[in-house]
């Protein structure tokens, strides 16, 4: 029976690359109609986890259920049907440079529907207007700023009116003001359309602005899963280190290092 409270349920998820175990038995749920942030430092496994959730990687073991449906055993046509209800904004926006912004947004609509061209163009204009790019239909990706490329990528992710929206490091490479504008857009999508939104990031200002629920990874394991208030209140030393931007203790201090290279 489908759990209507949770959009995604993950149980015992493990991933190996050769002898290296990247994800070590993750078990968690993602609430429906909320913004869940997958948080952690570089190399913690969050991007690998995202690839599993959108069906780009098969796990070594474990279960992933989306809307109650197990996806780890689906064939490619079956996974394509599940992806039809997903939108993904990749880290670099992943726009096709040879196509205009309008054609980039139109691409998934042309690929997956049979609507007429006039209706398609109306849909494209609606999506571009939604992300603040009205009037930029005929621009090419090379003519846009970094923030505008992200918004164009988001318009394409929204093209098929997905139930779930995935973001991979949406603030990467953006200045603070542009990043804040993208955060506001994410909150707008959650509030207006009640979408289930999953954001992979390590940017703390964005986390504090958009998150309803947080899953924090550390070395391939779940360090924390709960509300943003719960994360802030945690006294776990690894969480405090991350939130307070404290470096890990090194085996040598800088003074020790300079003494070693000086031959002392």
């Amino acid at each position: 029976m489908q759990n209507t409270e949770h959009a995604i349920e993950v149980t015992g998820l493990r991933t190996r690359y050769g002898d290296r175990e990247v994800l070590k038995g993750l078990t968690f749920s993602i609430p429906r109609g909320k913004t869940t942030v997958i948080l952690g430092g570089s190399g913690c496994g969050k991007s690998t986890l995202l690839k599993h959730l959108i069906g780009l990687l098969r796990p070594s073991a474990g279960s992933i259920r989306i809307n109650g449906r197990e996806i780890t055993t689906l064939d490619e046509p079956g996974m394509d049907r599940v992806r039809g209800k997903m939108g993904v904004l990749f880290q670099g926006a992943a726009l096709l440079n040879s196509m205009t912004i309008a054609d980039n947004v139109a691409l998934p609509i042309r690929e997956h529907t049979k609507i007429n061209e006039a209706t398609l163009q109306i849909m494209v204009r609606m999506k571009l207007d939604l992300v603040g790019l009205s009037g930029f239909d005929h621009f090419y990706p090379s003519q846009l700023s970094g923030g505008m490329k992200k918004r164009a990528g988001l318009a394409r992710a929204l093209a098929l009116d997905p139930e779930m929206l995935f973001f991979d490091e949406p603030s990467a490479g953006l200045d603070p003001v542009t990043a804040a504008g993208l955060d506001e857009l994410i909150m707008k999508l959650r509030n207006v359309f009640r979408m289930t939104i999953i954001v992979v990031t390590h940017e703390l200002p964005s986390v504090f602005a958009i998150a309803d629920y947080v899953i924090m990874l550390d070395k391939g394991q779940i360090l924390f899963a709960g509300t943003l208030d719960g994360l802030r209140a945690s006294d776990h030393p690894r969480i405090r280190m991350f939130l307070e931007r404290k470096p890990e203790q090194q085996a040598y201090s800088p003074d020790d290092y300079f003494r070693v290279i000086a031959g002392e």
Side-chain angles (χ1 to χ4, degrees):
M1 183 176 177
Q2 180 177 335
N3 187 331
T4 57
E5 182 183 354
H6 298 136
I8 301 176
E9 296 170 289
V10 175
T11 307
L13 188 68
R14 294 183 180 274
T15 303
R16 292 181 179 276
Y17 295 139
D19 293 333
R20 182 176 174 235
E21 191 170 40
V22 179
L23 299 179
K24 304 173 183 179
L26 306 187
T27 296
F28 62 88
S29 298
I30 290 178
R32 189 181 307 280
K34 304 288 185 181
T35 298
T36 295
V37 170
I38 300 174
L39 178 65
S42 298
C44 70
K46 57 186 186 296
S47 291
T48 297
L49 175 57
L50 176 66
K51 290 175 183 177
H52 285 309
L53 296 181
I54 61 178
L56 294 182
L57 278 180
R58 300 266 183 180
S60 303
S63 167
I64 302 171
R65 300 184 72 83
I66 295 181
N67 290 327
R69 185 176 188 183
E70 178 63 52
I71 69 166
T72 60
T73 56
L74 290 178
D75 58 16
E76 198 57 31
M79 193 63 230
D80 282 344
R81 287 190 289 273
V82 174
R83 291 195 195 104
K85 297 182 180 180
M86 298 176 177
V88 184
L89 175 59
F90 293 101
Q91 184 171 333
L95 299 170
L96 298 175
N97 291 323
S98 61
M99 300 173 72
T100 65
I101 298 306
D103 284 336
N104 268 278
V105 177
L107 184 61
I109 305 174
R110 288 197 173 103
E111 289 288 320
H112 298 287
T113 72
K114 297 180 180 179
I115 65 172
N116 62 64
E117 188 66 18
T119 304
L120 184 148
Q121 292 304 324
I122 292 171
M123 291 178 65
V124 168
R125 286 196 296 272
M126 288 174 62
K127 302 308 179 186
L128 289 174
D129 184 58
L130 181 62
V131 301
L133 288 180
S134 180
F136 288 87
D137 314 40
H138 302 297
F139 280 60
Y140 286 85
S142 62
Q143 297 172 305
L144 302 182
S145 68
M148 293 170 75
K149 287 179 184 177
K150 294 273 183 147
R151 287 173 178 265
L154 178 54
R156 187 180 58 190
L158 293 167
L160 296 175
D161 298 318
E163 295 177 7
M164 298 181 192
L165 199 52
F166 294 84
F167 292 81
D168 185 13
E169 300 283 5
S171 300
L174 301 182
D175 65 83
V177 174
T178 303
L182 191 56
D183 289 341
E184 287 186 1
L185 185 53
I186 292 171
M187 289 187 284
K188 175 183 174 182
L189 293 171
R190 175 198 62 192
N191 295 336
V192 174
F193 299 104
R194 305 306 301 169
M195 284 183 175
T196 300
I197 297 176
I198 298 95
V199 181
V200 169
T201 188
H202 61 270
E203 300 285 349
L204 290 178
S206 290
V207 174
F208 295 143
I210 67 175
D212 297 307
Y213 194 80
V214 179
I215 297 165
M216 185 171 181
L217 302 184
D218 183 56
K219 299 177 182 178
Q221 298 176 305
I222 292 180
L223 200 57
F224 175 88
T227 65
L228 183 59
D229 287 341
L231 180 74
R232 283 189 170 119
S234 174
D235 59 1
H236 191 290
R238 297 287 296 179
I239 295 176
R240 298 316 318 164
M241 185 186 302
F242 192 89
L243 296 184
E244 296 167 13
R245 302 181 71 235
K246 292 181 178 178
E248 293 192 53
Q249 294 296 319
Q250 303 295 321
Y252 291 99
S253 71
D255 289 340
D256 292 333
Y257 173 75
F258 286 117
R259 279 198 294 270
V260 169
I261 63 173
E264 295 180 10

